[in-house]
Amino acid sequence: MRAMADITDTARMFIQALPHARALGLVLEEIGQGRTVVSMPWDEKLIGDPATGVIHGGAVSALMDTASGAAVMCHPAGPVSTATLDLRIDYMRPATPGQTIRARAECHHITRSVAFVRVTATDEDESRPVAMATGAFTVDAGRNGDPR
Amino acid sequence: MSSEYERLLRETAAAIPYLAFLGIRFETAGNELTGVLPYAPDLIGNPLIPALHGGVTAAFLEVTAITGLVWSGLRQGVIAVQAPVILPKTIDLTIDYLRPGTARDAFARARINRSGRRYASVHVEAWQDEPDRPFAQATGHFLMQRG
C-alpha cells in the first residue's frame, strides 16, 4: 500500500508527463483512490464539425483514455506503469460548443495483470453524458513483481 | 467523377480543425483510402518508450473509419455528392491496442463491413512498418446522416 500523497503525485505527474495531454490542455482536477476527474477546455483547434463547432469525438476519446490511465495509476494497488489494452466508447450526444468537457474515471477492479476502468464524459449539463467508456489496462508491477 | 469525389473529400477534411491539430491527411488510390498520421512530438503519450498516446491512436482510427465510409459512400451513392459532405456520426468504437505505437509515421485503412441506409459497421487497422502487423485496430458503428 502506498501513501495517498505519493499516489496523488504519481497520477499528477502521469498527466503532466504526457506531451499529448499537454497539447490537449488537459487539467487533472480531482484525484482519489483509483478515481480521477480530468477536464479539457473547449478549444477551436479540437473542432470536429466546422458547421456547429462541436469538439471531435477523437479528442473526447483521448480525454477519457487519459483520465482512465491516471485512475489506474492512482489505485492503491496501482502499478508503476500502465497502457491501454482495450477501450469501448459510446458516443451519446455532441458536446455543447464552448463548454469544458470533464471525464470522471474509476478503476473499479484491479488484478496483478489487468485493471478495469469505467469513465463518463460530460459537459456543463452533467445529467446527460456526452460519452461513456469501459476499458482494460495493463498492470506493470515493476521489478519486484508486486504492484507498489 | 472520381476527381469530383477527391475534391469533395479534400475540402471536407481541410475544414476540420481537429485533423490539422493531429496532422492527419488522406491518400486515395481507386477504391482505397489510407489515413496518414506523420509523427510529431505532441502525439506522444508515454515519453519513456516513447509511444503514441492511446487517445491519438483512437482518434486516428476513428477519423479513418469515418473518412473511409465517406470515400466509399460517395462512390456508391450512399452519401450525397455535395459540399460540405454530411459526415457519418460515431455511435460507438471499440479499440484494441495490440502493441505500442512508436515514434514514427502511422497509416490506417478501413474496411466497411456493412453500410446500410442508416447504420454502418466499420473495421479499421493502423500500422507503422508492415500493414500485416497492425499496432491497433477498432470496430465501430456509425449513423449515416440524411442530407
Side-chain angles (χ1 to χ4, degrees), chain B residues 9 26 31 33 61-80 85-91 109-116 118-124 140-145:
Chain B
L9 189 83
F26 298 100
N31 287 328
L33 176 135
L61 290 165
E62 182 180 343
V63 301
T64 303
I66 291 172
T67 313
L69 252 183
V70 168
W71 188 239
S72 102
L74 285 172
R75 300 167 73 90
Q76 289 170 10
V78 182
I79 290 177
V85 170
I86 299 167
L87 297 172
K89 281 205 159 79
T90 313
I91 299 168
R109 205 168 282 157
R111 185 183 72 227
I112 320 299
N113 284 328
R114 182 182 187 272
S115 177
R118 292 179 69 196
Y119 307 108
S121 175
V122 182
H123 181 80
V124 53
H141 294 93
F142 299 84
L143 189 62
M144 306 304 282
Q145 306 272 81

mmCIF file of all heavy atoms in Angstrom, chain B residues 9 26 31 33 61-80 85-91 109-116 118-124 140-145:
data_model
loop_
_atom_site.group_PDB
_atom_site.id
_atom_site.type_symbol
_atom_site.label_atom_id
_atom_site.label_comp_id
_atom_site.label_asym_id
_atom_site.label_seq_id
_atom_site.Cartn_x
_atom_site.Cartn_y
_atom_site.Cartn_z
ATOM 1 N N LEU B 9 -13.677 15.361 -50.864
ATOM 2 C CA LEU B 9 -13.007 14.750 -49.713
ATOM 3 C C LEU B 9 -11.953 15.706 -49.135
ATOM 4 O O LEU B 9 -11.884 15.912 -47.930
ATOM 5 C CB LEU B 9 -12.364 13.428 -50.136
ATOM 6 C CG LEU B 9 -11.823 12.581 -48.997
ATOM 7 C CD1 LEU B 9 -12.937 11.749 -48.376
ATOM 8 C CD2 LEU B 9 -10.716 11.663 -49.481
ATOM 9 N N PHE B 26 -5.188 12.303 -45.884
ATOM 10 C CA PHE B 26 -5.706 11.083 -46.511
ATOM 11 C C PHE B 26 -5.173 10.956 -47.927
ATOM 12 O O PHE B 26 -5.069 11.951 -48.644
ATOM 13 C CB PHE B 26 -7.241 11.094 -46.510
ATOM 14 C CG PHE B 26 -7.811 11.125 -45.127
ATOM 15 C CD1 PHE B 26 -8.259 12.313 -44.579
ATOM 16 C CD2 PHE B 26 -7.840 9.978 -44.358
ATOM 17 C CE1 PHE B 26 -8.741 12.360 -43.288
ATOM 18 C CE2 PHE B 26 -8.324 10.007 -43.058
ATOM 19 C CZ PHE B 26 -8.774 11.205 -42.519
ATOM 20 N N ASN B 31 -10.478 2.651 -55.169
ATOM 21 C CA ASN B 31 -11.434 2.447 -54.082
ATOM 22 C C ASN B 31 -10.814 2.648 -52.710
ATOM 23 O O ASN B 31 -11.521 2.787 -51.724
ATOM 24 C CB ASN B 31 -11.966 1.007 -54.123
ATOM 25 C CG ASN B 31 -12.928 0.799 -55.267
ATOM 26 O OD1 ASN B 31 -13.644 1.732 -55.646
ATOM 27 N ND2 ASN B 31 -12.927 -0.386 -55.823
ATOM 28 N N LEU B 33 -8.682 4.069 -49.537
ATOM 29 C CA LEU B 33 -8.316 5.311 -48.851
ATOM 30 C C LEU B 33 -7.401 4.965 -47.683
ATOM 31 O O LEU B 33 -7.681 4.050 -46.913
ATOM 32 C CB LEU B 33 -9.570 6.028 -48.359
ATOM 33 C CG LEU B 33 -9.306 7.301 -47.530
ATOM 34 C CD1 LEU B 33 -10.221 8.432 -47.982
ATOM 35 C CD2 LEU B 33 -9.486 7.046 -46.038
ATOM 36 N N LEU B 61 -7.849 6.115 -35.695
ATOM 37 C CA LEU B 61 -8.688 5.020 -36.171
ATOM 38 C C LEU B 61 -10.098 5.530 -36.495
ATOM 39 O O LEU B 61 -10.683 5.190 -37.523
ATOM 40 C CB LEU B 61 -8.750 3.904 -35.117
ATOM 41 C CG LEU B 61 -7.452 3.115 -34.914
ATOM 42 C CD1 LEU B 61 -7.511 2.304 -33.620
ATOM 43 C CD2 LEU B 61 -7.180 2.189 -36.108
ATOM 44 N N GLU B 62 -10.611 6.393 -35.606
ATOM 45 C CA GLU B 62 -11.981 6.883 -35.792
ATOM 46 C C GLU B 62 -12.106 7.751 -37.047
ATOM 47 O O GLU B 62 -13.028 7.565 -37.846
ATOM 48 C CB GLU B 62 -12.435 7.668 -34.551
ATOM 49 C CG GLU B 62 -13.873 8.148 -34.686
ATOM 50 C CD GLU B 62 -14.374 8.921 -33.477
ATOM 51 O OE1 GLU B 62 -13.739 8.816 -32.404
ATOM 52 O OE2 GLU B 62 -15.381 9.629 -33.609
ATOM 53 N N VAL B 63 -11.174 8.693 -37.226
ATOM 54 C CA VAL B 63 -11.300 9.579 -38.397
ATOM 55 C C VAL B 63 -11.068 8.801 -39.696
ATOM 56 O O VAL B 63 -11.680 9.117 -40.716
ATOM 57 C CB VAL B 63 -10.378 10.827 -38.326
ATOM 58 C CG1 VAL B 63 -10.691 11.651 -37.093
ATOM 59 C CG2 VAL B 63 -8.911 10.466 -38.367
ATOM 60 N N THR B 64 -10.218 7.776 -39.637
ATOM 61 C CA THR B 64 -10.005 6.973 -40.853
ATOM 62 C C THR B 64 -11.253 6.143 -41.160
ATOM 63 O O THR B 64 -11.625 5.977 -42.327
ATOM 64 C CB THR B 64 -8.758 6.082 -40.708
ATOM 65 O OG1 THR B 64 -7.628 6.905 -40.423
ATOM 66 C CG2 THR B 64 -8.494 5.297 -41.988
ATOM 67 N N ALA B 65 -11.916 5.647 -40.115
ATOM 68 C CA ALA B 65 -13.166 4.898 -40.325
ATOM 69 C C ALA B 65 -14.217 5.802 -40.968
ATOM 70 O O ALA B 65 -14.866 5.422 -41.957
ATOM 71 C CB ALA B 65 -13.677 4.354 -38.990
ATOM 72 N N ILE B 66 -14.359 7.029 -40.438
ATOM 73 C CA ILE B 66 -15.370 7.958 -40.959
ATOM 74 C C ILE B 66 -15.039 8.358 -42.401
ATOM 75 O O ILE B 66 -15.899 8.333 -43.283
ATOM 76 C CB ILE B 66 -15.469 9.220 -40.067
ATOM 77 C CG1 ILE B 66 -16.067 8.841 -38.708
ATOM 78 C CG2 ILE B 66 -16.310 10.302 -40.745
ATOM 79 C CD1 ILE B 66 -16.040 9.962 -37.685
ATOM 80 N N THR B 67 -13.763 8.684 -42.637
ATOM 81 C CA THR B 67 -13.381 9.134 -43.976
ATOM 82 C C THR B 67 -13.445 7.988 -44.982
ATOM 83 O O THR B 67 -13.817 8.192 -46.133
ATOM 84 C CB THR B 67 -11.979 9.783 -43.935
ATOM 85 O OG1 THR B 67 -11.937 10.682 -42.835
ATOM 86 C CG2 THR B 67 -11.672 10.540 -45.204
ATOM 87 N N GLY B 68 -13.102 6.789 -44.514
ATOM 88 C CA GLY B 68 -13.238 5.602 -45.370
ATOM 89 C C GLY B 68 -14.696 5.384 -45.757
ATOM 90 O O GLY B 68 -15.009 5.040 -46.900
ATOM 91 N N LEU B 69 -15.601 5.600 -44.780
ATOM 92 C CA LEU B 69 -17.041 5.478 -45.043
ATOM 93 C C LEU B 69 -17.491 6.527 -46.058
ATOM 94 O O LEU B 69 -18.286 6.223 -46.961
ATOM 95 C CB LEU B 69 -17.813 5.732 -43.743
ATOM 96 C CG LEU B 69 -18.485 4.573 -43.030
ATOM 97 C CD1 LEU B 69 -19.242 5.104 -41.821
ATOM 98 C CD2 LEU B 69 -19.412 3.799 -43.941
ATOM 99 N N VAL B 70 -16.980 7.747 -45.913
ATOM 100 C CA VAL B 70 -17.340 8.823 -46.838
ATOM 101 C C VAL B 70 -16.844 8.485 -48.244
ATOM 102 O O VAL B 70 -17.580 8.608 -49.223
ATOM 103 C CB VAL B 70 -16.737 10.179 -46.370
ATOM 104 C CG1 VAL B 70 -16.848 11.236 -47.454
ATOM 105 C CG2 VAL B 70 -17.434 10.654 -45.094
ATOM 106 N N TRP B 71 -15.596 8.025 -48.321
ATOM 107 C CA TRP B 71 -14.993 7.708 -49.624
ATOM 108 C C TRP B 71 -15.803 6.625 -50.335
ATOM 109 O O TRP B 71 -16.110 6.736 -51.517
ATOM 110 C CB TRP B 71 -13.540 7.279 -49.422
ATOM 111 C CG TRP B 71 -12.758 7.100 -50.695
ATOM 112 C CD1 TRP B 71 -12.138 5.954 -51.108
ATOM 113 C CD2 TRP B 71 -12.514 8.081 -51.713
ATOM 114 N NE1 TRP B 71 -11.518 6.171 -52.308
ATOM 115 C CE2 TRP B 71 -11.733 7.463 -52.707
ATOM 116 C CE3 TRP B 71 -12.886 9.412 -51.878
ATOM 117 C CZ2 TRP B 71 -11.320 8.136 -53.854
ATOM 118 C CZ3 TRP B 71 -12.474 10.089 -53.031
ATOM 119 C CH2 TRP B 71 -11.700 9.449 -53.989
ATOM 120 N N SER B 72 -16.183 5.582 -49.593
ATOM 121 C CA SER B 72 -16.959 4.525 -50.236
ATOM 122 C C SER B 72 -18.401 4.979 -50.453
ATOM 123 O O SER B 72 -19.016 4.657 -51.474
ATOM 124 C CB SER B 72 -16.856 3.224 -49.428
ATOM 125 O OG SER B 72 -18.001 3.003 -48.668
ATOM 126 N N GLY B 73 -18.935 5.791 -49.516
ATOM 127 C CA GLY B 73 -20.322 6.274 -49.625
ATOM 128 C C GLY B 73 -20.543 7.180 -50.825
ATOM 129 O O GLY B 73 -21.563 7.096 -51.506
ATOM 130 N N LEU B 74 -19.571 8.058 -51.095
ATOM 131 C CA LEU B 74 -19.668 8.964 -52.248
ATOM 132 C C LEU B 74 -19.708 8.156 -53.539
ATOM 133 O O LEU B 74 -20.506 8.414 -54.440
ATOM 134 C CB LEU B 74 -18.455 9.910 -52.292
ATOM 135 C CG LEU B 74 -18.406 11.065 -51.284
ATOM 136 C CD1 LEU B 74 -17.055 11.764 -51.346
ATOM 137 C CD2 LEU B 74 -19.530 12.064 -51.545
ATOM 138 N N ARG B 75 -18.841 7.155 -53.588
ATOM 139 C CA ARG B 75 -18.712 6.362 -54.814
ATOM 140 C C ARG B 75 -19.906 5.454 -55.038
ATOM 141 O O ARG B 75 -20.207 5.091 -56.174
ATOM 142 C CB ARG B 75 -17.414 5.549 -54.772
ATOM 143 C CG ARG B 75 -16.177 6.443 -54.646
ATOM 144 C CD ARG B 75 -14.957 5.651 -54.298
ATOM 145 N NE ARG B 75 -14.485 4.866 -55.424
ATOM 146 C CZ ARG B 75 -13.609 5.308 -56.323
ATOM 147 N NH1 ARG B 75 -13.095 6.500 -56.194
ATOM 148 N NH2 ARG B 75 -13.247 4.544 -57.309
ATOM 149 N N GLN B 76 -20.573 5.081 -53.925
ATOM 150 C CA GLN B 76 -21.714 4.175 -54.064
ATOM 151 C C GLN B 76 -23.054 4.889 -54.000
ATOM 152 O O GLN B 76 -24.103 4.251 -54.005
ATOM 153 C CB GLN B 76 -21.631 3.085 -52.983
ATOM 154 C CG GLN B 76 -20.508 2.099 -53.262
ATOM 155 C CD GLN B 76 -20.259 1.163 -52.100
ATOM 156 O OE1 GLN B 76 -21.034 1.124 -51.160
ATOM 157 N NE2 GLN B 76 -19.178 0.406 -52.184
ATOM 158 N N GLY B 77 -23.014 6.215 -53.900
ATOM 159 C CA GLY B 77 -24.261 6.975 -53.891
ATOM 160 C C GLY B 77 -24.996 6.942 -52.567
ATOM 161 O O GLY B 77 -26.158 7.334 -52.482
ATOM 162 N N VAL B 78 -24.353 6.443 -51.495
ATOM 163 C CA VAL B 78 -24.976 6.413 -50.166
ATOM 164 C C VAL B 78 -24.851 7.797 -49.509
ATOM 165 O O VAL B 78 -25.687 8.196 -48.706
ATOM 166 C CB VAL B 78 -24.299 5.338 -49.268
ATOM 167 C CG1 VAL B 78 -24.963 5.256 -47.909
ATOM 168 C CG2 VAL B 78 -24.341 3.985 -49.961
ATOM 169 N N ILE B 79 -23.785 8.517 -49.859
ATOM 170 C CA ILE B 79 -23.566 9.863 -49.334
ATOM 171 C C ILE B 79 -23.704 10.854 -50.483
ATOM 172 O O ILE B 79 -23.134 10.655 -51.564
ATOM 173 C CB ILE B 79 -22.179 9.971 -48.648
ATOM 174 C CG1 ILE B 79 -22.195 9.150 -47.344
ATOM 175 C CG2 ILE B 79 -21.798 11.422 -48.386
ATOM 176 C CD1 ILE B 79 -20.887 9.114 -46.611
ATOM 177 N N ALA B 80 -24.499 11.912 -50.254
ATOM 178 C CA ALA B 80 -24.782 12.903 -51.295
ATOM 179 C C ALA B 80 -23.501 13.609 -51.738
ATOM 180 O O ALA B 80 -22.700 14.021 -50.901
ATOM 181 C CB ALA B 80 -25.794 13.921 -50.776
ATOM 182 N N VAL B 85 -19.724 17.792 -47.323
ATOM 183 C CA VAL B 85 -20.185 16.413 -47.179
ATOM 184 C C VAL B 85 -20.753 16.241 -45.766
ATOM 185 O O VAL B 85 -20.187 16.733 -44.791
ATOM 186 C CB VAL B 85 -19.006 15.434 -47.389
ATOM 187 C CG1 VAL B 85 -19.399 14.012 -47.006
ATOM 188 C CG2 VAL B 85 -18.527 15.480 -48.829
ATOM 189 N N ILE B 86 -21.907 15.599 -45.675
ATOM 190 C CA ILE B 86 -22.501 15.358 -44.356
ATOM 191 C C ILE B 86 -21.860 14.095 -43.776
ATOM 192 O O ILE B 86 -22.013 12.998 -44.315
ATOM 193 C CB ILE B 86 -24.028 15.229 -44.464
ATOM 194 C CG1 ILE B 86 -24.584 16.550 -45.008
ATOM 195 C CG2 ILE B 86 -24.629 14.919 -43.096
ATOM 196 C CD1 ILE B 86 -26.018 16.479 -45.456
ATOM 197 N N LEU B 87 -21.104 14.296 -42.698
ATOM 198 C CA LEU B 87 -20.301 13.196 -42.145
ATOM 199 C C LEU B 87 -21.136 12.234 -41.304
ATOM 200 O O LEU B 87 -22.011 12.668 -40.556
ATOM 201 C CB LEU B 87 -19.186 13.776 -41.264
ATOM 202 C CG LEU B 87 -18.156 14.664 -41.971
ATOM 203 C CD1 LEU B 87 -17.237 15.314 -40.953
ATOM 204 C CD2 LEU B 87 -17.353 13.839 -42.975
ATOM 205 N N PRO B 88 -20.845 10.918 -41.415
ATOM 206 C CA PRO B 88 -21.484 9.953 -40.515
ATOM 207 C C PRO B 88 -21.088 10.277 -39.073
ATOM 208 O O PRO B 88 -20.006 10.807 -38.824
ATOM 209 C CB PRO B 88 -20.875 8.612 -40.948
ATOM 210 C CG PRO B 88 -20.286 8.845 -42.296
ATOM 211 C CD PRO B 88 -19.903 10.292 -42.344
ATOM 212 N N LYS B 89 -21.975 9.967 -38.124
ATOM 213 C CA LYS B 89 -21.690 10.215 -36.710
ATOM 214 C C LYS B 89 -21.306 8.908 -36.029
ATOM 215 O O LYS B 89 -21.924 7.873 -36.276
ATOM 216 C CB LYS B 89 -22.944 10.768 -36.018
ATOM 217 C CG LYS B 89 -23.178 12.241 -36.265
ATOM 218 C CD LYS B 89 -24.001 12.816 -35.106
ATOM 219 C CE LYS B 89 -23.859 14.310 -34.994
ATOM 220 N NZ LYS B 89 -24.648 15.045 -35.943
ATOM 221 N N THR B 90 -20.303 8.971 -35.160
ATOM 222 C CA THR B 90 -19.881 7.757 -34.450
ATOM 223 C C THR B 90 -20.910 7.405 -33.382
ATOM 224 O O THR B 90 -21.278 8.254 -32.564
ATOM 225 C CB THR B 90 -18.511 7.974 -33.785
ATOM 226 O OG1 THR B 90 -17.635 8.566 -34.732
ATOM 227 C CG2 THR B 90 -17.932 6.647 -33.303
ATOM 228 N N ILE B 91 -21.354 6.149 -33.392
ATOM 229 C CA ILE B 91 -22.256 5.649 -32.343
ATOM 230 C C ILE B 91 -21.397 5.019 -31.242
ATOM 231 O O ILE B 91 -21.542 5.320 -30.072
ATOM 232 C CB ILE B 91 -23.246 4.607 -32.910
ATOM 233 C CG1 ILE B 91 -24.118 5.228 -34.007
ATOM 234 C CG2 ILE B 91 -24.100 4.017 -31.785
ATOM 235 C CD1 ILE B 91 -24.916 4.213 -34.813
ATOM 236 N N ARG B 109 -6.235 2.003 -42.513
ATOM 237 C CA ARG B 109 -7.168 1.726 -43.605
ATOM 238 C C ARG B 109 -8.425 1.087 -43.025
ATOM 239 O O ARG B 109 -8.341 0.267 -42.109
ATOM 240 C CB ARG B 109 -6.514 0.787 -44.623
ATOM 241 C CG ARG B 109 -7.096 0.908 -46.009
ATOM 242 C CD ARG B 109 -6.226 0.199 -47.019
ATOM 243 N NE ARG B 109 -5.028 0.964 -47.380
ATOM 244 C CZ ARG B 109 -3.919 0.416 -47.877
ATOM 245 N NH1 ARG B 109 -3.850 -0.894 -48.057
ATOM 246 N NH2 ARG B 109 -2.893 1.175 -48.196
ATOM 247 N N ALA B 110 -9.571 1.487 -43.553
ATOM 248 C CA ALA B 110 -10.858 0.993 -43.051
ATOM 249 C C ALA B 110 -11.459 -0.035 -44.006
ATOM 250 O O ALA B 110 -11.237 0.021 -45.217
ATOM 251 C CB ALA B 110 -11.825 2.159 -42.880
ATOM 252 N N ARG B 111 -12.192 -0.980 -43.431
ATOM 253 C CA ARG B 111 -12.964 -1.939 -44.230
ATOM 254 C C ARG B 111 -14.423 -1.769 -43.803
ATOM 255 O O ARG B 111 -14.743 -1.874 -42.615
ATOM 256 C CB ARG B 111 -12.481 -3.365 -43.939
ATOM 257 C CG ARG B 111 -13.136 -4.433 -44.808
ATOM 258 C CD ARG B 111 -12.662 -5.826 -44.416
ATOM 259 N NE ARG B 111 -13.213 -6.233 -43.137
ATOM 260 C CZ ARG B 111 -12.512 -6.776 -42.151
ATOM 261 N NH1 ARG B 111 -11.231 -6.983 -42.286
ATOM 262 N NH2 ARG B 111 -13.104 -7.118 -41.021
ATOM 263 N N ILE B 112 -15.287 -1.490 -44.785
ATOM 264 C CA ILE B 112 -16.709 -1.296 -44.469
ATOM 265 C C ILE B 112 -17.359 -2.681 -44.430
ATOM 266 O O ILE B 112 -17.499 -3.321 -45.469
ATOM 267 C CB ILE B 112 -17.406 -0.421 -45.547
ATOM 268 C CG1 ILE B 112 -16.518 0.736 -46.009
ATOM 269 C CG2 ILE B 112 -18.782 0.043 -45.071
ATOM 270 C CD1 ILE B 112 -16.111 1.733 -44.986
ATOM 271 N N ASN B 113 -17.737 -3.131 -43.247
ATOM 272 C CA ASN B 113 -18.350 -4.460 -43.140
ATOM 273 C C ASN B 113 -19.830 -4.434 -43.502
ATOM 274 O O ASN B 113 -20.358 -5.391 -44.039
ATOM 275 C CB ASN B 113 -18.172 -5.022 -41.728
ATOM 276 C CG ASN B 113 -16.760 -5.522 -41.521
ATOM 277 O OD1 ASN B 113 -16.113 -6.002 -42.462
ATOM 278 N ND2 ASN B 113 -16.253 -5.399 -40.301
ATOM 279 N N ARG B 114 -20.473 -3.330 -43.177
ATOM 280 C CA ARG B 114 -21.854 -3.159 -43.594
ATOM 281 C C ARG B 114 -22.126 -1.677 -43.719
ATOM 282 O O ARG B 114 -21.718 -0.887 -42.875
ATOM 283 C CB ARG B 114 -22.828 -3.758 -42.583
ATOM 284 C CG ARG B 114 -24.279 -3.614 -43.033
ATOM 285 C CD ARG B 114 -25.275 -4.148 -42.033
ATOM 286 N NE ARG B 114 -26.606 -4.116 -42.604
ATOM 287 C CZ ARG B 114 -27.426 -3.070 -42.539
ATOM 288 N NH1 ARG B 114 -27.054 -1.981 -41.930
ATOM 289 N NH2 ARG B 114 -28.625 -3.122 -43.095
ATOM 290 N N SER B 115 -22.818 -1.304 -44.774
ATOM 291 C CA SER B 115 -23.202 0.085 -44.924
ATOM 292 C C SER B 115 -24.639 0.121 -45.403
ATOM 293 O O SER B 115 -24.927 -0.142 -46.562
ATOM 294 C CB SER B 115 -22.268 0.766 -45.931
ATOM 295 O OG SER B 115 -22.678 2.086 -46.123
ATOM 296 N N GLY B 116 -25.553 0.406 -44.480
ATOM 297 C CA GLY B 116 -26.971 0.465 -44.837
ATOM 298 C C GLY B 116 -27.414 1.907 -44.977
ATOM 299 O O GLY B 116 -26.600 2.823 -45.029
ATOM 300 N N ARG B 118 -29.120 3.647 -42.767
ATOM 301 C CA ARG B 118 -28.973 4.402 -41.506
ATOM 302 C C ARG B 118 -27.702 4.043 -40.747
ATOM 303 O O ARG B 118 -27.095 4.899 -40.124
ATOM 304 C CB ARG B 118 -30.182 4.150 -40.609
ATOM 305 C CG ARG B 118 -31.455 4.760 -41.171
ATOM 306 C CD ARG B 118 -32.617 4.468 -40.262
ATOM 307 N NE ARG B 118 -32.535 5.180 -39.002
ATOM 308 C CZ ARG B 118 -33.258 4.869 -37.930
ATOM 309 N NH1 ARG B 118 -34.076 3.834 -37.967
ATOM 310 N NH2 ARG B 118 -33.142 5.562 -36.824
ATOM 311 N N TYR B 119 -27.320 2.769 -40.755
ATOM 312 C CA TYR B 119 -26.196 2.346 -39.927
ATOM 313 C C TYR B 119 -25.084 1.732 -40.767
ATOM 314 O O TYR B 119 -25.349 1.073 -41.770
ATOM 315 C CB TYR B 119 -26.651 1.303 -38.888
ATOM 316 C CG TYR B 119 -27.827 1.768 -38.068
ATOM 317 C CD1 TYR B 119 -29.094 1.221 -38.270
ATOM 318 C CD2 TYR B 119 -27.670 2.762 -37.109
ATOM 319 C CE1 TYR B 119 -30.181 1.655 -37.528
ATOM 320 C CE2 TYR B 119 -28.751 3.202 -36.364
ATOM 321 C CZ TYR B 119 -30.005 2.645 -36.575
ATOM 322 O OH TYR B 119 -31.070 3.090 -35.849
ATOM 323 N N ALA B 120 -23.862 1.925 -40.296
ATOM 324 C CA ALA B 120 -22.718 1.279 -40.937
ATOM 325 C C ALA B 120 -21.840 0.660 -39.856
ATOM 326 O O ALA B 120 -21.751 1.177 -38.735
ATOM 327 C CB ALA B 120 -21.919 2.304 -41.735
ATOM 328 N N SER B 121 -21.207 -0.464 -40.190
ATOM 329 C CA SER B 121 -20.256 -1.121 -39.300
ATOM 330 C C SER B 121 -18.910 -1.153 -40.005
ATOM 331 O O SER B 121 -18.808 -1.610 -41.150
ATOM 332 C CB SER B 121 -20.746 -2.542 -38.985
ATOM 333 O OG SER B 121 -19.765 -3.216 -38.221
ATOM 334 N N VAL B 122 -17.893 -0.645 -39.344
ATOM 335 C CA VAL B 122 -16.586 -0.464 -39.985
ATOM 336 C C VAL B 122 -15.480 -1.046 -39.110
ATOM 337 O O VAL B 122 -15.485 -0.873 -37.892
ATOM 338 C CB VAL B 122 -16.300 1.048 -40.213
ATOM 339 C CG1 VAL B 122 -14.965 1.250 -40.920
ATOM 340 C CG2 VAL B 122 -17.419 1.700 -41.013
ATOM 341 N N HIS B 123 -14.547 -1.734 -39.749
ATOM 342 C CA HIS B 123 -13.346 -2.211 -39.068
ATOM 343 C C HIS B 123 -12.173 -1.410 -39.610
ATOM 344 O O HIS B 123 -12.105 -1.134 -40.807
ATOM 345 C CB HIS B 123 -13.145 -3.714 -39.339
ATOM 346 C CG HIS B 123 -11.946 -4.268 -38.643
ATOM 347 N ND1 HIS B 123 -11.960 -4.600 -37.317
ATOM 348 C CD2 HIS B 123 -10.691 -4.508 -39.082
ATOM 349 C CE1 HIS B 123 -10.763 -5.034 -36.961
ATOM 350 N NE2 HIS B 123 -9.973 -4.989 -38.022
ATOM 351 N N VAL B 124 -11.254 -1.033 -38.737
ATOM 352 C CA VAL B 124 -10.132 -0.206 -39.195
ATOM 353 C C VAL B 124 -8.853 -0.661 -38.490
ATOM 354 O O VAL B 124 -8.879 -1.034 -37.317
ATOM 355 C CB VAL B 124 -10.456 1.308 -38.973
ATOM 356 C CG1 VAL B 124 -10.875 1.605 -37.554
ATOM 357 C CG2 VAL B 124 -9.292 2.210 -39.391
ATOM 358 N N GLY B 140 -16.277 -0.040 -35.246
ATOM 359 C CA GLY B 140 -17.214 0.980 -34.798
ATOM 360 C C GLY B 140 -18.502 0.946 -35.582
ATOM 361 O O GLY B 140 -18.560 0.408 -36.695
ATOM 362 N N HIS B 141 -19.553 1.510 -34.960
ATOM 363 C CA HIS B 141 -20.841 1.683 -35.645
ATOM 364 C C HIS B 141 -21.075 3.169 -35.861
ATOM 365 O O HIS B 141 -20.732 3.983 -35.004
ATOM 366 C CB HIS B 141 -21.962 1.055 -34.819
ATOM 367 C CG HIS B 141 -21.822 -0.429 -34.721
ATOM 368 N ND1 HIS B 141 -21.171 -1.035 -33.674
ATOM 369 C CD2 HIS B 141 -22.179 -1.407 -35.578
ATOM 370 C CE1 HIS B 141 -21.157 -2.351 -33.888
ATOM 371 N NE2 HIS B 141 -21.752 -2.597 -35.025
ATOM 372 N N PHE B 142 -21.631 3.487 -36.994
ATOM 373 C CA PHE B 142 -21.790 4.885 -37.390
ATOM 374 C C PHE B 142 -23.203 5.117 -37.899
ATOM 375 O O PHE B 142 -23.789 4.241 -38.529
ATOM 376 C CB PHE B 142 -20.766 5.248 -38.476
ATOM 377 C CG PHE B 142 -19.346 5.090 -37.993
ATOM 378 C CD1 PHE B 142 -18.706 3.855 -38.031
ATOM 379 C CD2 PHE B 142 -18.658 6.166 -37.451
ATOM 380 C CE1 PHE B 142 -17.423 3.692 -37.558
ATOM 381 C CE2 PHE B 142 -17.361 6.008 -36.966
ATOM 382 C CZ PHE B 142 -16.754 4.780 -37.016
ATOM 383 N N LEU B 143 -23.698 6.326 -37.605
ATOM 384 C CA LEU B 143 -25.024 6.721 -38.057
ATOM 385 C C LEU B 143 -24.856 7.531 -39.331
ATOM 386 O O LEU B 143 -24.163 8.553 -39.328
ATOM 387 C CB LEU B 143 -25.686 7.561 -36.958
ATOM 388 C CG LEU B 143 -27.161 7.912 -37.129
ATOM 389 C CD1 LEU B 143 -28.022 6.649 -37.163
ATOM 390 C CD2 LEU B 143 -27.599 8.823 -35.984
ATOM 391 N N MET B 144 -25.495 7.050 -40.417
ATOM 392 C CA MET B 144 -25.406 7.774 -41.680
ATOM 393 C C MET B 144 -26.404 8.931 -41.600
ATOM 394 O O MET B 144 -27.549 8.753 -41.223
ATOM 395 C CB MET B 144 -25.741 6.856 -42.864
ATOM 396 C CG MET B 144 -24.907 5.570 -42.903
ATOM 397 S SD MET B 144 -23.117 5.853 -42.913
ATOM 398 C CE MET B 144 -22.881 6.309 -44.629
ATOM 399 N N GLN B 145 -25.947 10.128 -41.960
ATOM 400 C CA GLN B 145 -26.770 11.307 -41.823
ATOM 401 C C GLN B 145 -27.503 11.586 -43.138
ATOM 402 O O GLN B 145 -26.885 11.530 -44.198
ATOM 403 C CB GLN B 145 -25.902 12.512 -41.476
ATOM 404 C CG GLN B 145 -25.052 12.273 -40.272
ATOM 405 C CD GLN B 145 -25.766 12.641 -38.999
ATOM 406 O OE1 GLN B 145 -26.574 11.881 -38.469
ATOM 407 N NE2 GLN B 145 -25.499 13.819 -38.521
#
